[in-house]
């Protein structure tokens, strides 16, 4: 069966520090991968999606970037965190663009 | 630009009651409509996916319908249980799998 992992589970970082969140999927190949953010009082917002290694699409301009160095690995990064980057970050995968998306457990990020 | 709205924002019902959660979307050019549940502090659990060519999907006590022409979807929960308490999210799917989410309906089922 397929599983999706995210780490760390919780992270507290000072403003201006770098960020790296990792997501890996097991039990499938060539998945579509997605990064979402859930900020307080707001709905889930798609940040990036990827249909293959090295292929990244950004949905909204922001202080974050994403990379997909391996087929089942998706990384969310920032060079300098802002207070507004605080939120709950969720990674998801699907077999194809119009298939069910399966979400990871999430990373809660607090920027102070 | 697609916008997804869920009404009501919160709902409290006694155990055993049947209930309906509503979801509306502004752009009928969606490829699918997905329903999820989210428990506090957790990730999302997929409940049902309805492709744009379908009218409804069923899984156990859950039934979801889709009416693209009116821009509406409903999630029907039969014989609600306290374990159904969670936030329910609907999302409209674009061509690349980019989901646009509503803000959710927080459901509380009282024993």
């Amino acid at each position: 069966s397929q599983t999706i992992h995210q780490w760390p589970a919780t992270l507290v970082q000072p403003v201006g520090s770098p960020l790296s969140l990792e997501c890996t999927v097991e039990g499938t190949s060539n998945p579509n991968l997605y990064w979402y953010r859930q900020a307080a009082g707001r709905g889930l917002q798609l940040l990036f999606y990827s249909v293959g290694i090295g292929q990244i699409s950004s949905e909204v301009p922001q202080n974050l970037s994403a990379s997909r160095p391996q087929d089942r690995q998706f990384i969310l990064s920032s060079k300098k965190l802002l207070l507004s980057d605080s939120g709950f970050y969720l990674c998801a995968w699907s077999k194809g663009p119009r298939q069910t998306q399966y979400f990871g457990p999430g990373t809660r990020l607090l920027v102070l | 630009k697609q916008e997804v709205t869920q009404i009501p924002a919160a709902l409290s019902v006694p155990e055993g009651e049947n209930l309906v959660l509503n979801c509306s979307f502004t752009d009928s050019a969606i490829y699918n409509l997905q329903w999820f549940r989210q428990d506090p502090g957790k990730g999302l659990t997929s409940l049902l996916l309805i492709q744009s060519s379908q009218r409804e999907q069923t899984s156990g006590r859950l039934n979801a319908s889709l009416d693209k022409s009116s821009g509406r979807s409903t999630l029907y929960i039969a014989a609600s249980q306290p374990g159904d308490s969670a936030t329910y999210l609907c999302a409209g799917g674009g061509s690349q799998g980019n989901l646009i989410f509503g803000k959710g309906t927080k459901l509380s089922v009282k024993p």
Side-chain angles (χ1 to χ4, degrees):
Chain A
S1 64
Q2 300 87 6
T3 55
I4 178 169
H5 303 278
Q6 287 187 246
W7 63 90
T10 305
L11 191 59
V12 180
Q13 292 285 95
V15 169
S17 64
L19 174 74
S20 181
L21 303 182
E22 190 163 343
C23 170
T24 59
V25 181
E26 295 178 356
T28 189
S29 60
N30 197 30
N32 279 32
L33 296 172
Y34 309 86
W35 276 112
Y36 293 87
R37 177 171 61 201
Q38 190 172 37
R42 303 183 64 180
L44 267 165
Q45 183 182 36
L46 178 64
L47 302 176
F48 301 95
Y49 64 91
S50 172
V51 299
I53 296 174
Q55 300 179 61
I56 308 294
S57 296
S58 174
E59 282 293 290
V60 293
Q62 58 208 312
N63 184 42
L64 302 168
S65 62
S67 62
R68 185 171 177 173
Q70 301 180 41
D71 181 44
R72 290 169 290 177
Q73 184 184 30
F74 205 21
I75 296 173
L76 184 68
S77 304
S78 174
K79 293 182 179 179
K80 289 185 178 182
L81 284 169
L82 306 172
L83 287 174
S84 57
D85 292 323
S86 294
F88 191 41
Y89 288 82
L90 290 160
C91 180
W93 76 273
S94 66
K95 291 184 180 179
R98 302 172 196 177
Q99 304 299 314
T100 298
Q101 290 190 21
Y102 300 96
F103 282 74
T107 293
R108 192 163 301 281
L109 171 66
L110 179 60
V111 182
L112 299 175
Chain B
K1 179 184 175 184
Q2 179 73 272
E3 292 184 5
V4 178
T5 303
Q6 292 187 247
I7 295 174
L11 181 64
S12 181
V13 300
E15 181 177 3
E17 191 164 296
N18 302 327
L19 59 100
V20 175
L21 305 181
N22 296 294
C23 172
S24 62
F25 46 93
T26 55
D27 186 353
S28 62
I30 57 170
Y31 286 81
N32 57 52
L33 193 292
Q34 299 188 36
W35 283 93
F36 299 87
R37 73 173 274 170
Q38 185 176 29
D39 293 286
K42 305 293 185 182
L44 276 63
T45 300
S46 175
L47 297 174
L48 290 165
L49 177 148
I50 311 175
Q51 298 291 357
S52 61
S53 59
Q54 298 173 322
R55 297 282 293 186
E56 66 177 330
Q57 284 287 336
T58 297
S59 176
R61 294 183 293 109
L62 305 180
N63 176 276
S65 67
L66 174 64
D67 184 342
K68 282 186 61 178
S69 61
S70 66
R72 293 181 181 179
S73 176
T74 62
L75 179 66
Y76 175 82
I77 302 177
S80 58
Q81 303 170 358
D84 294 331
S85 298
T87 296
Y88 289 80
L89 298 161
C90 72
S95 62
Q96 298 301 315
N98 42 317
L99 293 178
I100 305 297
F101 281 86
K103 292 187 177 181
T105 293
K106 186 175 182 178
L107 174 65
S108 176
V109 181
K110 304 295 185 182

